[in-house]
Amino acid sequence: QVQLVESGGGLVQAGGSLSLSCAASGRTFSNYAMGWFRQAPGKEREFVAGISRGGTNTYYADSVKGRFTISRDNPKNTVYLQMNSLEPEDTAVYYCAARLWVLVVSTEYDYWGQGTQVTVSS
């Protein structure tokens, strides 16, 4: 089992920034690709960003490219999502997730956090 706990959500004005963190425990963190996802009310959960086990490869949804940055610190068992130039359309519950070995751009992940709310006001 891998336990994931997100933090850092909140309310921010459009154009502002937020930094999310996700702390992992339970298994060898560096064995897992990590992803950030979001789900807005009435919408399906969608992929936002992903990072490979060693941090070499990253992928982003088109809607966040150039604004969001995913990173990880394996010794600290933590993955981050830096969100800049936030827009009202970014309002959602943000989840981190872990997938053993291989990074995929989908929701096919093995473990999920409980989510953290991000609200962007116009």
Side-chain angles (χ1 to χ4, degrees):
Q1 288 283 355
V2 175
Q3 292 78 42
L4 302 170
V5 179
E6 302 96 336
S7 60
L11 173 64
V12 64
Q13 288 188 333
S17 298
L18 278 176
S19 180
L20 304 183
S21 298
C22 173
S25 62
R27 293 285 175 91
T28 303
F29 182 66
S30 58
N31 286 346
Y32 290 83
M34 299 298 296
W36 283 98
F37 299 79
R38 67 187 181 187
Q39 188 167 18
K43 295 188 177 182
E44 293 186 353
R45 190 171 299 187
E46 63 175 358
F47 174 87
V48 174
I51 189 166
S52 60
R53 292 180 290 133
T56 303
N57 297 317
T58 57
Y59 294 92
Y60 297 92
D62 288 343
S63 58
V64 307
K65 278 181 184 176
R67 301 188 298 122
F68 290 12
T69 302
I70 188 171
S71 61
R72 66 190 294 163
D73 187 334
N74 283 351
K76 293 184 177 180
N77 292 350
T78 303
V79 62
Y80 306 95
L81 185 68
Q82 177 65 40
M83 305 185 294
N84 298 329
S85 302
L86 283 161
E87 304 168 352
E89 292 75 21
D90 296 316
T91 295
V93 177
Y94 283 71
Y95 300 88
C96 72
R99 190 178 194 278
L100 187 62
W101 301 127
V102 180
L103 172 63
V104 297
V105 183
S106 75
T107 58
E108 294 179 0
Y109 279 63
D110 302 310
Y111 302 100
W112 294 83
Q114 82 289 350
T116 185
Q117 177 70 46
V118 171
T119 303
V120 184
S121 63
S122 57

